[in-house]
Amino acid sequence: MESDSETHSGEDTTPDDWMELADDSPDGSPAYIPADTPGASPANSPAATQKPSEKEDFKLSLITWNVDGINEEKRPERARGLVKYLNLYKPDVVFLQELIPPYVQFLKKRFASYLMIEGAEEGYFTGMLLKKSRVTFVESEIVPYPTTQMMRNLLVAQVIVDGQKLCLMTSHFESFKACSKERMNQLHVVKWRFKHAPDDVTVVFGGDTNLRDAEVPKVGLPATVCDVWERLGKQEHCRYTWDTTTNTNQNISTPARFRFDRIYLRPAIKRGVPRLAPDHMVLVGLEKLDCGRYTSDHWGIYCTFSAE
């Protein structure tokens, strides 16, 4: 049982069909108050719980989410649900997995204030959204996984935020239990990137790793790298990101719960460079949309970092 289905049940929705759903009405979306509404501050918005002094400190906000774009069931409505969540949280960086070309075009139309970086041009792939007002883009690259059988790769972007150099990475590791060896090969590639990043660069990885807990120690991560969920105390409420006991999008009869989606951090280790540390994590997408589906079969992860 896995989060990703490799089959399609019909014709893809065209970009024009998706654009018809690109209005700002709340239909098909979770109950919310738009974050940009004058005078409004949603109770569950990150800004609502910040003290004025906190807003002045360095912060980096991130969402990573496998959006299940290859699943055609209520796909335009689910895409619009994603837009509502991103408008609510307004993250600086968004890592997305299982995008398809029409989904990308839809997001580009809705988020002109973000730069979209794509991990491929066809099939299904990863992508990043970078908030232009906060994140200065330097360069990006697509790192291939030589032995993947599922078109997987590592998308890497070098950026600058408030004068600090960051290396952002996202990926969608090989799926299914039987592909453990390939999945660990892909984690090795990510590990190499962590180890060889310059000392003055903060490295953040997030994505759908499909990892089982027993696989990670077999590869081993550098001592300078932390699993953000573990660093924040292994809180039970955000442990399982693929949970068929609650999320019914996949219609799977046998319950399954996995922590497929993960965020790893390696702070800059050069003396004199601010060190980022995670300070908050929560799952998003937990509300069912009006169309009867969740935004994805995965929960998204919203995470914030601050300078120590």
Side-chain angles (χ1 to χ4, degrees):
M1 295 170 293
E2 286 290 333
S3 56
D4 0 34
S5 168
E6 304 294 335
T7 61
H8 295 264
S9 58
E11 296 298 323
D12 283 343
T13 308
T14 66
D16 288 343
D17 293 335
W18 289 54
M19 291 309 108
E20 292 177 1
L21 291 175
D23 59 80
D24 292 319
S25 65
D27 294 342
S29 65
Y32 81 112
I33 302 172
D36 54 358
T37 300
S41 182
N44 58 339
S45 167
T49 58
Q50 286 182 325
K51 298 177 182 178
S53 61
E54 292 177 326
K55 297 179 183 178
E56 298 171 2
D57 297 333
F58 180 89
K59 286 275 190 178
L60 179 74
S61 57
L62 164 73
I63 283 181
T64 183
W65 207 337
N66 179 325
V67 297
D68 196 21
I70 60 177
N71 184 344
E72 296 174 9
E73 186 69 28
K74 302 293 183 180
R75 186 163 53 195
E77 293 86 349
R78 292 188 295 106
R80 191 169 65 174
L82 173 66
V83 167
K84 301 299 184 181
Y85 280 110
L86 296 185
N87 278 333
L88 175 63
Y89 284 89
K90 298 187 181 298
D92 301 315
V93 174
V94 184
F95 294 152
L96 299 170
Q97 303 87 45
E98 283 196 28
L99 291 170
I100 59 173
Y103 212 128
V104 169
Q105 295 307 311
F106 175 77
L107 292 176
K108 284 182 177 179
K109 289 281 188 179
R110 298 300 290 127
F111 293 106
S113 61
Y114 284 76
L115 173 67
M116 168 69 81
I117 304 172
E118 300 157 51
E121 296 180 351
E122 57 186 14
Y124 67 100
F125 45 86
T126 61
M128 294 185 192
L129 287 169
L130 308 177
K131 185 185 288 185
K132 296 175 183 177
S133 63
R134 286 222 65 214
V135 182
T136 300
F137 173 73
V138 178
E139 62 181 0
S140 66
E141 63 178 313
I142 298 171
V143 180
Y145 293 142
T147 53
T148 180
Q149 300 298 309
M150 300 181 182
M151 304 184 295
R152 309 295 168 83
N153 57 36
L154 178 65
L155 179 60
V156 182
Q158 308 294 335
V159 305
I160 298 174
V161 180
D162 292 351
Q164 296 193 41
K165 298 177 183 178
L166 275 71
C167 173
L168 305 174
M169 304 191 293
T170 188
S171 189
H172 183 191
F173 288 176
E174 215 81 350
S175 308
F176 308 119
K177 184 177 181 179
C179 294
S180 177
K181 181 178 179 181
E182 174 59 24
R183 192 159 46 246
M184 289 190 288
N185 287 342
Q186 293 165 3
L187 183 58
H188 270 292
V189 174
V190 173
K191 176 182 177 179
W192 190 94
R193 288 278 163 162
F194 274 121
K195 289 182 64 176
H196 292 85
D199 289 354
D200 62 341
V201 174
T202 297
V203 187
V204 183
F205 169 90
D208 176 6
T209 68
N210 279 305
L211 285 167
R212 280 63 175 171
D213 290 339
E215 294 169 349
V216 179
K218 293 179 181 178
V219 175
L221 292 173
T224 53
V225 175
C226 74
D227 181 313
V228 168
W229 176 76
E230 293 180 354
R231 174 64 61 87
L232 291 174
K234 302 183 179 180
Q235 299 176 73
E236 196 65 24
H237 69 85
C238 52
R239 176 191 292 266
Y240 300 111
T241 64
W242 194 70
D243 184 358
T244 66
T245 66
T246 304
N247 191 312
T248 55
N249 276 21
Q250 287 285 347
N251 296 316
I252 294 176
S253 57
T254 305
R257 307 174 83 194
F258 291 99
R259 191 166 70 93
F260 284 153
D261 305 85
R262 303 184 181 212
I263 301 174
Y264 294 125
L265 168 70
R266 194 217 72 174
I269 54 180
K270 184 177 180 179
R271 182 173 298 178
V273 178
R275 291 176 55 86
L276 286 191
D279 53 23
H280 178 68
M281 173 186 281
V282 67
L283 298 183
V284 298
L286 303 177
E287 298 83 11
K288 186 173 286 189
L289 307 176
D290 288 349
C291 66
R293 312 283 286 188
Y294 293 94
T295 300
S296 173
D297 60 332
H298 287 245
W299 308 134
I301 301 174
Y302 173 78
C303 185
T304 61
F305 304 84
S306 59
E308 290 183 315

mmCIF file of all heavy atoms in Angstrom, residues 209-230:
data_model
loop_
_atom_site.group_PDB
_atom_site.id
_atom_site.type_symbol
_atom_site.label_atom_id
_atom_site.label_comp_id
_atom_site.label_asym_id
_atom_site.label_seq_id
_atom_site.Cartn_x
_atom_site.Cartn_y
_atom_site.Cartn_z
ATOM 1 N N THR A 209 9.632 11.193 1.057
ATOM 2 C CA THR A 209 10.762 10.262 0.997
ATOM 3 C C THR A 209 10.331 8.808 0.871
ATOM 4 O O THR A 209 11.150 7.952 0.521
ATOM 5 C CB THR A 209 11.626 10.386 2.262
ATOM 6 O OG1 THR A 209 10.887 9.897 3.397
ATOM 7 C CG2 THR A 209 12.046 11.828 2.505
ATOM 8 N N ASN A 210 9.083 8.509 1.191
ATOM 9 C CA ASN A 210 8.609 7.124 1.235
ATOM 10 C C ASN A 210 9.452 6.247 2.161
ATOM 11 O O ASN A 210 9.385 5.019 2.101
ATOM 12 C CB ASN A 210 8.569 6.507 -0.175
ATOM 13 C CG ASN A 210 7.321 6.899 -0.941
ATOM 14 O OD1 ASN A 210 6.202 6.700 -0.475
ATOM 15 N ND2 ASN A 210 7.506 7.475 -2.112
ATOM 16 N N LEU A 211 10.266 6.875 3.009
ATOM 17 C CA LEU A 211 11.175 6.119 3.873
ATOM 18 C C LEU A 211 10.436 5.386 4.982
ATOM 19 O O LEU A 211 9.488 5.901 5.570
ATOM 20 C CB LEU A 211 12.207 7.056 4.505
ATOM 21 C CG LEU A 211 13.326 7.554 3.587
ATOM 22 C CD1 LEU A 211 14.073 8.710 4.235
ATOM 23 C CD2 LEU A 211 14.282 6.415 3.234
ATOM 24 N N ARG A 212 10.902 4.183 5.265
ATOM 25 C CA ARG A 212 10.512 3.465 6.476
ATOM 26 C C ARG A 212 11.582 3.747 7.531
ATOM 27 O O ARG A 212 12.755 3.933 7.202
ATOM 28 C CB ARG A 212 10.439 1.965 6.216
ATOM 29 C CG ARG A 212 9.144 1.494 5.535
ATOM 30 C CD ARG A 212 8.923 2.044 4.166
ATOM 31 N NE ARG A 212 7.725 1.445 3.541
ATOM 32 C CZ ARG A 212 7.196 1.858 2.414
ATOM 33 N NH1 ARG A 212 7.725 2.882 1.767
ATOM 34 N NH2 ARG A 212 6.118 1.270 1.910
ATOM 35 N N ASP A 213 11.177 3.791 8.763
ATOM 36 C CA ASP A 213 12.103 4.196 9.828
ATOM 37 C C ASP A 213 13.374 3.356 9.852
ATOM 38 O O ASP A 213 14.457 3.869 10.142
ATOM 39 C CB ASP A 213 11.402 4.121 11.186
ATOM 40 C CG ASP A 213 10.345 5.205 11.352
ATOM 41 O OD1 ASP A 213 10.410 6.223 10.634
ATOM 42 O OD2 ASP A 213 9.445 5.035 12.197
ATOM 43 N N ALA A 214 13.268 2.070 9.543
ATOM 44 C CA ALA A 214 14.431 1.188 9.609
ATOM 45 C C ALA A 214 15.441 1.461 8.495
ATOM 46 O O ALA A 214 16.604 1.047 8.589
ATOM 47 C CB ALA A 214 13.981 -0.272 9.553
ATOM 48 N N GLU A 215 15.029 2.168 7.442
ATOM 49 C CA GLU A 215 15.923 2.400 6.311
ATOM 50 C C GLU A 215 16.927 3.525 6.585
ATOM 51 O O GLU A 215 18.044 3.502 6.075
ATOM 52 C CB GLU A 215 15.099 2.727 5.061
ATOM 53 C CG GLU A 215 14.250 1.563 4.585
ATOM 54 C CD GLU A 215 13.250 1.953 3.511
ATOM 55 O OE1 GLU A 215 13.060 3.160 3.267
ATOM 56 O OE2 GLU A 215 12.640 1.035 2.921
ATOM 57 N N VAL A 216 16.522 4.499 7.378
ATOM 58 C CA VAL A 216 17.368 5.681 7.586
ATOM 59 C C VAL A 216 18.694 5.337 8.262
ATOM 60 O O VAL A 216 19.759 5.747 7.785
ATOM 61 C CB VAL A 216 16.609 6.762 8.370
ATOM 62 C CG1 VAL A 216 17.498 7.977 8.611
ATOM 63 C CG2 VAL A 216 15.341 7.179 7.630
ATOM 64 N N PRO A 217 18.707 4.560 9.371
ATOM 65 C CA PRO A 217 19.994 4.233 9.994
ATOM 66 C C PRO A 217 20.899 3.376 9.117
ATOM 67 O O PRO A 217 22.130 3.383 9.309
ATOM 68 C CB PRO A 217 19.599 3.500 11.280
ATOM 69 C CG PRO A 217 18.166 3.141 11.144
ATOM 70 C CD PRO A 217 17.560 4.090 10.177
ATOM 71 N N LYS A 218 20.345 2.680 8.157
ATOM 72 C CA LYS A 218 21.172 1.891 7.251
ATOM 73 C C LYS A 218 22.001 2.796 6.341
ATOM 74 O O LYS A 218 23.089 2.420 5.903
ATOM 75 C CB LYS A 218 20.301 0.961 6.404
ATOM 76 C CG LYS A 218 19.613 -0.139 7.210
ATOM 77 C CD LYS A 218 18.739 -1.007 6.312
ATOM 78 C CE LYS A 218 18.021 -2.093 7.122
ATOM 79 N NZ LYS A 218 17.124 -2.915 6.264
ATOM 80 N N VAL A 219 21.481 3.973 6.048
ATOM 81 C CA VAL A 219 22.215 4.960 5.248
ATOM 82 C C VAL A 219 23.029 5.866 6.170
ATOM 83 O O VAL A 219 24.208 6.111 5.950
ATOM 84 C CB VAL A 219 21.246 5.801 4.393
ATOM 85 C CG1 VAL A 219 21.987 6.904 3.650
ATOM 86 C CG2 VAL A 219 20.478 4.908 3.414
ATOM 87 N N GLY A 220 22.369 6.341 7.228
ATOM 88 C CA GLY A 220 23.026 7.232 8.178
ATOM 89 C C GLY A 220 23.104 8.653 7.650
ATOM 90 O O GLY A 220 23.451 8.873 6.488
ATOM 91 N N LEU A 221 22.754 9.603 8.472
ATOM 92 C CA LEU A 221 22.852 11.002 8.104
ATOM 93 C C LEU A 221 24.027 11.640 8.845
ATOM 94 O O LEU A 221 24.373 11.205 9.943
ATOM 95 C CB LEU A 221 21.555 11.738 8.452
ATOM 96 C CG LEU A 221 20.327 11.344 7.627
ATOM 97 C CD1 LEU A 221 19.071 12.001 8.183
ATOM 98 C CD2 LEU A 221 20.511 11.722 6.160
ATOM 99 N N PRO A 222 24.660 12.650 8.267
ATOM 100 C CA PRO A 222 25.775 13.321 8.962
ATOM 101 C C PRO A 222 25.326 13.852 10.318
ATOM 102 O O PRO A 222 24.160 14.210 10.515
ATOM 103 C CB PRO A 222 26.139 14.462 8.004
ATOM 104 C CG PRO A 222 25.664 14.004 6.660
ATOM 105 C CD PRO A 222 24.420 13.207 6.922
ATOM 106 N N ALA A 223 26.248 13.915 11.254
ATOM 107 C CA ALA A 223 25.920 14.368 12.606
ATOM 108 C C ALA A 223 25.413 15.802 12.625
ATOM 109 O O ALA A 223 24.700 16.202 13.552
ATOM 110 C CB ALA A 223 27.154 14.246 13.503
ATOM 111 N N THR A 224 25.753 16.572 11.598
ATOM 112 C CA THR A 224 25.321 17.970 11.532
ATOM 113 C C THR A 224 23.883 18.118 11.033
ATOM 114 O O THR A 224 23.334 19.223 11.042
ATOM 115 C CB THR A 224 26.247 18.764 10.598
ATOM 116 O OG1 THR A 224 26.323 18.082 9.329
ATOM 117 C CG2 THR A 224 27.642 18.890 11.191
ATOM 118 N N VAL A 225 23.273 17.020 10.585
ATOM 119 C CA VAL A 225 21.927 17.048 10.001
ATOM 120 C C VAL A 225 20.913 16.553 11.022
ATOM 121 O O VAL A 225 21.132 15.525 11.677
ATOM 122 C CB VAL A 225 21.858 16.181 8.727
ATOM 123 C CG1 VAL A 225 20.430 16.115 8.182
ATOM 124 C CG2 VAL A 225 22.812 16.717 7.665
ATOM 125 N N CYS A 226 19.803 17.270 11.144
ATOM 126 C CA CYS A 226 18.747 16.817 12.048
ATOM 127 C C CYS A 226 17.464 16.545 11.274
ATOM 128 O O CYS A 226 17.184 17.175 10.253
ATOM 129 C CB CYS A 226 18.483 17.840 13.153
ATOM 130 S SG CYS A 226 17.586 19.319 12.638
ATOM 131 N N ASP A 227 16.726 15.560 11.753
ATOM 132 C CA ASP A 227 15.354 15.325 11.316
ATOM 133 C C ASP A 227 14.497 16.305 12.107
ATOM 134 O O ASP A 227 14.449 16.243 13.338
ATOM 135 C CB ASP A 227 14.974 13.876 11.612
ATOM 136 C CG ASP A 227 13.567 13.519 11.170
ATOM 137 O OD1 ASP A 227 12.628 14.301 11.458
ATOM 138 O OD2 ASP A 227 13.377 12.447 10.570
ATOM 139 N N VAL A 228 13.851 17.222 11.422
ATOM 140 C CA VAL A 228 13.150 18.314 12.106
ATOM 141 C C VAL A 228 12.064 17.792 13.038
ATOM 142 O O VAL A 228 11.894 18.288 14.159
ATOM 143 C CB VAL A 228 12.573 19.311 11.084
ATOM 144 C CG1 VAL A 228 11.605 20.290 11.739
ATOM 145 C CG2 VAL A 228 13.719 20.073 10.402
ATOM 146 N N TRP A 229 11.326 16.789 12.619
ATOM 147 C CA TRP A 229 10.270 16.233 13.483
ATOM 148 C C TRP A 229 10.879 15.675 14.764
ATOM 149 O O TRP A 229 10.359 15.889 15.856
ATOM 150 C CB TRP A 229 9.496 15.150 12.738
ATOM 151 C CG TRP A 229 8.470 14.464 13.575
ATOM 152 C CD1 TRP A 229 7.242 14.950 13.943
ATOM 153 C CD2 TRP A 229 8.569 13.166 14.176
ATOM 154 N NE1 TRP A 229 6.575 14.034 14.726
ATOM 155 C CE2 TRP A 229 7.367 12.940 14.882
ATOM 156 C CE3 TRP A 229 9.553 12.174 14.185
ATOM 157 C CZ2 TRP A 229 7.130 11.749 15.587
ATOM 158 C CZ3 TRP A 229 9.322 11.002 14.877
ATOM 159 C CH2 TRP A 229 8.116 10.808 15.568
ATOM 160 N N GLU A 230 11.998 14.997 14.653
ATOM 161 C CA GLU A 230 12.667 14.460 15.839
ATOM 162 C C GLU A 230 13.214 15.586 16.715
ATOM 163 O O GLU A 230 13.087 15.539 17.945
ATOM 164 C CB GLU A 230 13.792 13.505 15.426
ATOM 165 C CG GLU A 230 13.290 12.237 14.753
ATOM 166 C CD GLU A 230 14.417 11.307 14.352
ATOM 167 O OE1 GLU A 230 15.612 11.707 14.493
ATOM 168 O OE2 GLU A 230 14.128 10.189 13.888
#
